[in-house]
Amino acid sequence: EVIGQRETSEFVRIELPVVVVQHHAVAHDENAQRIRLLYETAEVDEVLKNLRRHGHYWADAAMLQYACGFRPEELPLIESGNVKCAKGRARVFLCSIQDNGSTVRRLKTHRSRDSVEVPKFAMQALKRRLRLGCFLLFPRNAESGSTPKWSQSRYTVFEREHDLWPSADDKVFSGKYLIWVRNAAEEAGLDSNNFDSRTLRRTCGK
């Protein structure tokens, strides 16, 4: 036996797992794996155009989501007073809705507590919402064009006076928004099943 003699070295192939880095927006959204990540600008423009054919309410919501990356449950919480405009620019501040220090509507996540600058191409939609002079950019009654029926036992005076949507947990706003967006996508010749209420957020136009 010869001390120190080694056997002939062999090459060993080691296969490392493939690491896929998710798009930032997808990493924070549910069911993202089944939804197409990006749509071309021309495709989004067609969806927005189709929404505008039926009025500005949902078209403006879609435009601001696409431009600013808002979550669908954040849109009905944006207060007009939390939009700061100066020198042709605008910034939207997201926060929970308060009534004398009591939280009436909460943001879904801590990541929502932020401010977003509105791109120039979405300023027209934002200004249109502000011109309404409502407490919210997207008040409940403006969606249908008529005053909704309020349950006296379920809603407070503050909620009725400020025309709030039901709690974000009820997904009422998001559900209606999804119906309109999917219809507009279908009219644009796109597969509406590939759209959910966060698709335009993932395709964020910023």
Side-chain angles (χ1 to χ4, degrees):
E1 180 178 359
V2 180
I3 304 299
Q5 183 175 348
R6 299 179 181 179
E7 296 180 1
T8 303
S9 298
E10 295 183 0
F11 289 102
V12 179
R13 178 175 176 146
I14 301 176
E15 294 192 7
L16 297 176
V18 177
V19 178
V20 179
V21 180
Q22 287 181 299
H23 185 279
H24 174 73
V26 174
H28 295 96
D29 287 339
E30 297 87 352
N31 301 322
Q33 67 275 8
R34 71 177 183 82
I35 302 297
R36 178 179 170 185
L37 178 59
L38 296 174
Y39 282 88
E40 300 294 334
T41 301
E43 294 174 315
V44 175
D45 286 345
E46 281 298 310
V47 172
L48 294 172
K49 182 177 73 175
N50 290 334
L51 284 168
R52 285 192 292 270
R53 289 175 50 235
H54 302 284
H56 288 294
Y57 188 95
W58 296 109
D60 289 346
M63 171 61 83
L64 289 175
Q65 183 182 51
Y66 172 60
C68 303
F70 292 124
R71 296 175 176 84
E73 64 271 13
E74 292 168 351
L75 290 167
L77 300 182
I78 301 175
E79 299 176 35
S80 298
N82 288 336
V83 180
K84 308 303 178 184
C85 301
K87 298 180 179 180
R89 305 175 72 175
R91 182 168 287 275
V92 177
F93 292 81
L94 294 171
C95 61
S96 299
I97 298 177
Q98 302 285 322
D99 177 21
N100 293 324
S102 177
T103 300
V104 179
R105 294 288 185 275
R106 297 182 182 276
L107 294 171
K108 183 175 181 179
T109 70
H110 291 292
R111 292 190 299 273
S112 294
R113 296 193 182 97
D114 201 355
S115 65
V116 182
E117 184 165 349
V118 180
K120 289 184 179 180
F121 68 84
M123 286 294 290
Q124 184 177 2
L126 177 64
K127 290 179 179 179
R128 184 164 37 243
R129 306 318 305 169
L130 291 173
R131 282 196 296 269
L132 294 175
C134 299
F135 177 74
L136 298 174
L137 286 189
F138 298 98
R140 186 183 178 196
N141 67 3
E143 181 269 332
S144 62
S146 60
T147 303
K149 295 180 179 178
W150 294 96
S151 169
Q152 297 292 327
S153 60
R154 182 175 180 184
Y155 297 100
T156 66
V157 172
F158 179 89
E159 290 172 319
R160 295 194 299 271
E161 288 182 347
H162 292 82
D163 202 15
L164 304 188
W165 282 84
S167 174
D169 292 337
D170 293 340
K171 300 185 183 301
V172 176
F173 179 94
S174 298
K176 288 193 172 186
Y177 176 63
L178 177 57
I179 292 172
W180 282 95
V181 169
R182 280 186 168 170
N183 287 341
E186 188 172 341
E187 290 177 8
L190 302 173
D191 186 351
S192 61
N193 290 322
N194 285 340
F195 278 76
D196 67 6
S197 59
R198 297 174 178 234
T199 298
L200 295 181
R201 163 179 158 79
R202 301 187 190 105
T203 315
C204 188
K206 290 193 296 182

